Amino acid sequence: MKAWIGLMSGTSMDGIDAILVTFEDRHIRIHATHTTDYPSDIRQRLASLSQNRGTPDDLGELDHATGSLFALAATSVIEKAGFPPASIAAIGSHGQTLRHQPDGSKPFSIQIGDPNLIAERTGVTTVADFRRRDLASGGQGAPLVPAFHKAFFSAAGEDRCILNLGGIANITHLPADNSAPVTGFDTGPSNALMDAWCLDQTGKAYDKDGAWADEGIVDQDLLGDMLSEAYFSRQPPKSTGTEKFNLEWLKVLLNRHPDLAGADVQRTLLELTAVTVAQQIPHFPGMTIFVCGGGARNRVLMRELQRTCSPSRIASTAELGLDPQWVEPVAFAWLASQRLSGKPGNLPEVTGASGERILGAVYYA
C-alpha cells in the first residue's frame, strides 16, 4: 500500500505539521506525525512580508528558508514512521501562504517553501502549488480541503458541517443528500487576529485555552464596527486571509474605542469568530458541526460556538476518526494522491472554478 506525506502551515504562521498516512477506501491510517516550529525570526519575517513589508531578496531567502524547514519536517516524520523514502509515493506540500488575493482583474495566491528543496532533501516526489490552477480557471483557489471532507467525512442521510478554525475560519457543508452540491467558503478571521492581538499586547504567541479572552467582556460597539466589514455579507464563493484581517485592520477600528482593556478586545475578537461562523453557516435540523484546526483547542471559543450555533451540536473531528490538528495535513497528502492519479482536487461549486481541475505541480525525486 502506498504511503503519502502531507505538509501544512496555515495563516497562523506558527510552524509546519507533517503527517505520514496510508489510504484504504475511506479509511485513513496515520503512521507518524511531527510538528516543526518556525524560529521566531522566520515567523516575524513571514508576517512582515505577508503585509508587503519586504524586498524580492526577502522573498527569495524566505522561500529557501521555509523550503528547508518543510524538508526537515518531512524527513522527521519519515524517520518517526520508519519508512524508507522509496516506499513513499509523494509528499503533498501546501507551502506557506504569503498573499492570497483571488478577487480583482489579476487574481493570485502566493505560497512559498521551495518544493525543489523538499524533493531533493527527502528523495521523495513532491507535489506543491495546489491553488493556482483553480485560480486560473476562474476560482478562488480556496478553500481546497472541502473535496477531502466530501471524500472522507460525508454520510448519507446526515447533514454535517466541517468547521476549520485556523488563522481564518472556513466551513464545508456536507448535505444529507449525497447528490446535492457541497458548499464551502471562508467565513472570516479566527486565530490570526486573536493571535496577533495577544502577541501585540502580552508578548505571548497565542491565548492558551482562550484564558485571557475569558477575563474580558464583549464590547458590543466594537463588535458592531467589526461586523460592518463588507466581507461578512458577501455571497460565496469567497475566500480571505491576513491581507484583509490583520492587526492594522483591528487598530484602525480601535481608534474609535481607545479606552478598551486588552482582555475586552480579545474577548470581542473571539465573539467575532463565533458570531460570523454562526451567521454564515447553514443550519439544518440535527446537524453536527465538527471542528478542526488550532481553534478546536480554544476552550472558550468552543463554548461560545455552542451558544451561537445552537441548536446544532459542536463536536471535534476526532469523533470522525481524525484529530483536529491533522485534518489539513492529511488533506494535502490526499491532494497529492489525487494529482498523481490524474484526478481532480477542487470542487467547482465551492471555489467558483469553471470546472474540475487536477491540482498541483509535480517535482520528481
Side-chain angles (χ1 to χ4, degrees), residues 122-159:
T122 62
V124 178
T125 294
T126 299
V127 185
D129 191 13
F130 288 97
R131 299 192 183 277
R132 292 197 296 171
R133 183 61 190 272
D134 186 87
L135 278 162
S137 62
Q140 292 275 309
L144 297 180
V145 179
F148 168 77
H149 294 159
K150 179 182 180 181
F152 287 90
F153 294 154
S154 60
E158 181 182 346
D159 280 289

Side-chain angles (χ1 to χ4, degrees), residues 299-321:
R299 172 183 54 81
V300 179
L301 180 55
M302 293 290 281
R303 180 190 76 200
E304 297 308 314
L305 282 166
Q306 184 60 77
R307 172 180 59 84
T308 60
C309 295
S310 179
S312 294
R313 183 174 71 95
I314 299 292
S316 165
T317 55
E319 287 192 17
L320 303 177

Side-chain angles (χ1 to χ4, degrees), residues 137-184:
S137 62
Q140 292 275 309
L144 297 180
V145 179
F148 168 77
H149 294 159
K150 179 182 180 181
F152 287 90
F153 294 154
S154 60
E158 181 182 346
D159 280 289
R160 292 176 170 179
C161 189
I162 311 300
L163 169 61
N164 176 52
L165 296 173
I168 299 296
N170 53 68
I171 61 172
T172 304
H173 173 235
L174 303 170
D177 179 358
N178 283 344
S179 65
V182 171
T183 56

Side-chain angles (χ1 to χ4, degrees), residues 127 129-141 143-144 147 334-361:
V127 185
D129 191 13
F130 288 97
R131 299 192 183 277
R132 292 197 296 171
R133 183 61 190 272
D134 186 87
L135 278 162
S137 62
Q140 292 275 309
L144 297 180
W334 178 78
L335 284 169
S337 74
Q338 291 290 100
R339 173 63 182 85
L340 293 191
S341 300
K343 297 177 181 178
N346 66 335
L347 294 178
E349 61 268 33
V350 169
T351 67
S354 59
E356 293 183 337
R357 295 292 185 270
I358 299 169
L359 306 181

Side-chain angles (χ1 to χ4, degrees), residues 23-89:
F23 299 114
E24 186 173 1
D25 297 324
R26 284 171 51 117
H27 178 70
I28 301 163
R29 183 179 177 188
I30 298 173
H31 297 273
T33 62
H34 181 80
T35 297
T36 297
D37 293 330
Y38 280 143
S40 59
D41 63 320
I42 294 293
R43 187 176 184 184
Q44 289 166 9
R45 291 183 70 191
L46 287 170
S48 293
L49 195 56
S50 72
Q51 300 305 313
N52 283 331
R53 297 191 296 268
T55 67
D57 281 353
D58 291 318
L59 177 61
E61 290 171 7
L62 283 170
D63 185 39
H64 187 283
T66 54
S68 297
L69 290 166
F70 272 80
L72 176 62
T75 55
S76 297
V77 81
I78 291 169
E79 290 171 3
K80 278 189 177 181
F83 277 48
S87 69
I88 300 165

Side-chain angles (χ1 to χ4, degrees), residues 123-283:
V124 178
T125 294
T126 299
V127 185
D129 191 13
F130 288 97
R131 299 192 183 277
R132 292 197 296 171
R133 183 61 190 272
D134 186 87
L135 278 162
S137 62
Q140 292 275 309
L144 297 180
V145 179
F148 168 77
H149 294 159
K150 179 182 180 181
F152 287 90
F153 294 154
S154 60
E158 181 182 346
D159 280 289
R160 292 176 170 179
C161 189
I162 311 300
L163 169 61
N164 176 52
L165 296 173
I168 299 296
N170 53 68
I171 61 172
T172 304
H173 173 235
L174 303 170
D177 179 358
N178 283 344
S179 65
V182 171
T183 56
F185 53 90
D186 291 348
T187 59
S190 182
N191 303 331
L193 269 182
M194 290 187 282
D195 290 352
W197 179 248
C198 187
L199 181 64
D200 184 71
Q201 295 294 299
T202 72
K204 297 178 181 177
Y206 68 100
D207 180 14
K208 186 177 181 180
D209 298 326
W212 187 42
D214 212 22
E215 295 174 6
I217 59 173
V218 176
D219 185 89
Q220 293 297 335
D221 291 336
L222 175 60
L223 180 63
D225 281 350
M226 291 175 173
L227 289 171
S228 68
E229 165 59 52
Y231 179 83
F232 299 128
S233 59
R234 269 182 55 189
Q235 293 300 303
K238 62 179 182 176
S239 58
T240 190
T242 56
E243 304 79 23
K244 176 177 290 292
F245 296 108
N246 52 51
L247 193 60
E248 287 73 20
W249 178 84
L250 173 61
K251 287 187 173 181
V252 167
L253 294 176
L254 288 177
N255 286 334
R256 304 179 215 160
H257 310 273
D259 299 323
L260 287 180
D264 292 346
V265 175
Q266 186 76 353
R267 179 64 183 85
T268 306
L269 288 170
L270 186 147
E271 187 73 5
L272 176 68
T273 298
V275 167
T276 51
V277 166
Q279 287 180 342
Q280 297 176 77
I281 210 164
H283 291 280

